[in-house]
Amino acid sequence: MIEFRLQTHSGVAPYLQLVHQVRQALRLGLLHEGDQLPTVKDVASAVAVNPNTVLKAYRELESQGLVSPRPGRGTFVTGTLSDASLVEHNRLRRDLERWLAKARLAGLDEESIEALFVNTFRSGSQAESA
Amino acid sequence: MTAAIETAALVKRYGKKTALSDCTLSIPTGHVVGLVGPNGAGKTTLLQLAVGLLQPTAGQIDVLGHKPAEDPAQLARVGFVAQDTPTLSTLSVADHLRMGAKLNPGWDAYLAGQRIEELELDPDQRAGQLSGGQRAQLALTLAMAKRPELIVLDEPVASLDPLARRKFLQSLMASVAEQQVSVVMSSHLVADLERVCDYLVVLADSQVQLSGTVDDLLATHHLLTGPRREPTRWPSDWLVIEERHTERQTTLLIRSSAPILDPAWAVETVSMEDLVLAYMGLGASQHRRDGDLPGPRRAS
Amino acid sequence: MSWLTWRQFRSQVWVAVTVVAVLAVVFAITGVQLHHLADASGYPGCISAGLCHNFISAVKTNGLYPFLYNTGLMMLYVLPALIGIFWGAPLLARDLEAGSYRMLWTQSITRSRWLTVKLLLVGAASMITAGLLSLIVTWWSAPIDAAGGLQMGAFRLDTLQFGSRGIAPVGYAALAFTLGAAIGLLTRRALAAMAITFALFLAIQIITPIWIRPHFQAPVTATTAIAGPNFNIEITGDQQMRALAQQSPVGAWILSDEDVDSTGKVIYLRATDACLQRSPEACQDYVLGLHVSEKITYQPADRFWPFQTYETGIFLLVSLGLIGFSSWRVRRIN
């Protein structure tokens, strides 16, 4: 069973944090197809979060095809993120390591590397959504 | 659908002091509503009007479609936890539950007993000897076990330590999930409200400055940063809440339902805290409502 | 709401029950002995003649009886005041002061009901307590009262005795209680309400016998001319004296006893040397020459129960008025 947590000053909407955590768990293989997600009430009381937020997160996951509700029983994992991508993880990680080495060679310190990465990542995802 | 709380031109004065002026507001049911505002903005006044502890000086207020506290049936539909969570200090925890059972026809003894057990409160302990957090939990139990449709909380966690605060909010959220009860709570702690509320009302300067679901509010407010521009020449569908200019840069907090297309602006989403601070500032800086949107002046 | 009222009030009830029980035992034991003593001293035959000296002397030989007589008298003045201060004043003020009214008034009962149940239950307890105590004290003191009290001049209708006998204490308790409650509702501070209740109730206890009770019914006046040889001279002070021609009516509440001249004007007799030097004939002639009469104004003994009914009735009406005021006021607490 997955355990949720919320970061208050992260700037990410609480429901998105829940979605990300489920996706992360799927990606890392902590959740498998057929696993049950905690009930809305359990999440609400464990995390002290509005039940509507949990519902919204579960609906979002549902629309992504990752979970589906079974009436009277709860919400179950029906999709997967890990299988395909886990294989790729190692290759991508090696690419990233090579890129990081290049960046250090170019004289960037840790902070600059992080800022560059975040900036590029943001503008990329904004261009995607626009 | 009837509103949880609906007010029309509501006014409350204490002698010459105006606590609430011309307050018009409609809060739908089914939400956890956060009521924020600076001290003395009229939050407690509004909540006490809603539960019938106060009577309006002018205007009207309906709660779940009825006058507050008009009869026992209406009282049974609304639960209230007052500021500083008063209890009867000489009565034990068990006595409080017994009182709740005697005074409320819809009393849920099972729920009450279960909550007291979960909270590990000693039934024989006098309420006067409970810690602030325990007393708040007892008051919440009383309000919850009467099985109201709406529960009104006035700064329930203000005096609690972080752990007690978290526990209080956890049990509040559990109850909301279980009982489908609407909640209206005032608080200063935006971080808490960010977790538990899906509807926000900002009260400042004894008036409503902002009211809406959190999703809508966050989706329609944007923080824009760009090269310095002369003020007062903003697009007509922008509502400028806050503007700051330096020699080179202009920063705006705007409300607009249309997407921001001008590439010169760097657009950032806002947090609930940004919104709360900006609208609380509006009350302080003497801005007045203009048109149908509360708070700031509409840019022309 | 009755349960809650009982729960909040029960310790006071136990105190009241204990106090009343202890007093009942003490007064019952000594009361039986007192009544035996009265029977042995020619009571009640002595009453009509106004000659119960033997009985009163016997009562005074045992210090316990005068003590209990005075205690009973005092108790029934103190008790209603205590009820007003400790039961009435904090009844509503404490919840208002502590803020717990915000919890209580948002349960599924209206604040009017909260008020009504509290007032009726605790009010009834107040009246029962005062009634029981009055019953005990009235019974115990009956023989001494009938003889005119320890000084042989104050019957149960007299200023001090009246308020601690019969049903009057019930009215006093009801008034003190509702007064305290109403003041508590106004001040919203228990301590202030207690102080104000004490002061106001004390004023009521003083004003009622002096200015109100004498006017329940027009007093009876008896005037006897000092004409024959059967009158007494009483030196009342330096150079002052009274001429007395009649017996005081038995059991009456004497409002005034004066010498008047032939026009009905009050006159004060100057004690002449003859009278001061105990020369009876000369003094008698002097007084007869003045043509004075002794005028007594009084409420006769048989008005005891009508007066009890009036006073209690008035107090109960005022109490009802205070309850009405309180229930009007509680709806306007903002």
Side-chain angles (χ1 to χ4, degrees), chain C residues 224-245:
Chain C
T224 310
I226 300 198
N230 293 325
F231 70 91
N232 295 315
I233 299 288
E234 189 185 300
I235 308 295
T236 53
D238 188 31
Q239 308 282 303
Q240 292 260 314
M241 64 179 193
R242 288 286 320 278
L244 304 168

Side-chain angles (χ1 to χ4, degrees), chain B residues 12 48 52-55 72 75-76 80 82-83 86-88 90-91 95 98-99 102-105 146, chain C residues 1 3-4 7-8 10 95 98-111 331-334:
Chain B
K12 180 65 189 176
Q48 294 205 354
L53 286 176
L54 295 177
Q55 278 91 45
L75 283 160
F80 181 56
Q83 204 165 3
T87 49
L88 297 166
T90 57
L91 262 65
D95 282 337
R98 190 131 178 236
M99 174 194 77
K102 298 275 181 190
L103 298 185
N104 298 288
K146 76 189 259 196
Chain C
M1 193 58 218
W3 177 82
L4 179 63
R7 180 59 192 78
Q8 286 186 294
R10 67 181 181 191
D95 279 334
S100 44
Y101 77 97
R102 289 175 292 161
M103 188 253 289
L104 293 165
W105 293 0
T106 48
Q107 304 300 312
S108 310
I109 52 153
T110 60
R111 52 175 96 172
R331 285 195 293 268
R332 271 152 197 81
I333 285 185
N334 244 316

Side-chain angles (χ1 to χ4, degrees), chain A residues 6 8-9 14 41 44-53 56 126, chain B residues 30 32 166 170 173-174 176-178 191 194-198 215 273:
Chain A
L6 275 191
T8 336
H9 290 289
K41 190 210 155 185
S45 84
V47 189
V49 68
N50 191 312
N52 289 338
T53 304
K56 193 174 167 190
Q126 260 173 25
Chain B
V32 178
R166 175 56 58 86
Q170 283 173 336
M173 286 305 106
V176 169
E178 214 164 45
E194 213 158 15
R195 286 169 168 263
V196 301
C197 296
D198 53 7
D215 284 351
E273 190 161 9

Side-chain angles (χ1 to χ4, degrees), chain B residues 72-93:
Chain B
Q74 174 68 4
L75 283 160
R77 299 169 75 195
V78 182
F80 181 56
V81 176
Q83 204 165 3
D84 305 327
T85 58
T87 49
L88 297 166
S89 54
T90 57
L91 262 65
S92 68
V93 170

Side-chain angles (χ1 to χ4, degrees), chain B residues 207-261:
Chain B
Q207 289 193 322
V208 177
Q209 305 289 348
L210 179 70
S211 166
T213 66
V214 172
D215 284 351
D216 281 352
L217 295 178
L218 293 182
T220 53
H221 284 82
H222 311 277
L223 195 62
L224 309 185
T225 317
R228 185 186 164 94
R229 305 219 185 157
E230 285 313 305
T232 74
R233 270 190 284 141
W234 315 123
S236 62
D237 56 349
W238 286 12
L239 186 64
V240 178
I241 313 300
E242 206 177 53
E243 49 187 296
R244 277 196 304 271
H245 305 278
T246 62
E247 261 172 52
R248 300 198 165 176
Q249 206 179 39
T250 289
T251 311
L252 301 176
L253 178 67
I254 64 153
R255 183 172 191 169
S256 166
S257 37
I260 312 301
L261 297 173

Side-chain angles (χ1 to χ4, degrees), chain C residues 193-214:
Chain C
M194 290 162 87
I196 297 171
T197 304
F198 173 67
L200 281 183
F201 186 67
L202 191 67
I204 290 171
Q205 281 181 317
I206 292 169
I207 288 167
T208 306
I210 296 176
W211 284 315
I212 299 173
R213 194 183 302 147

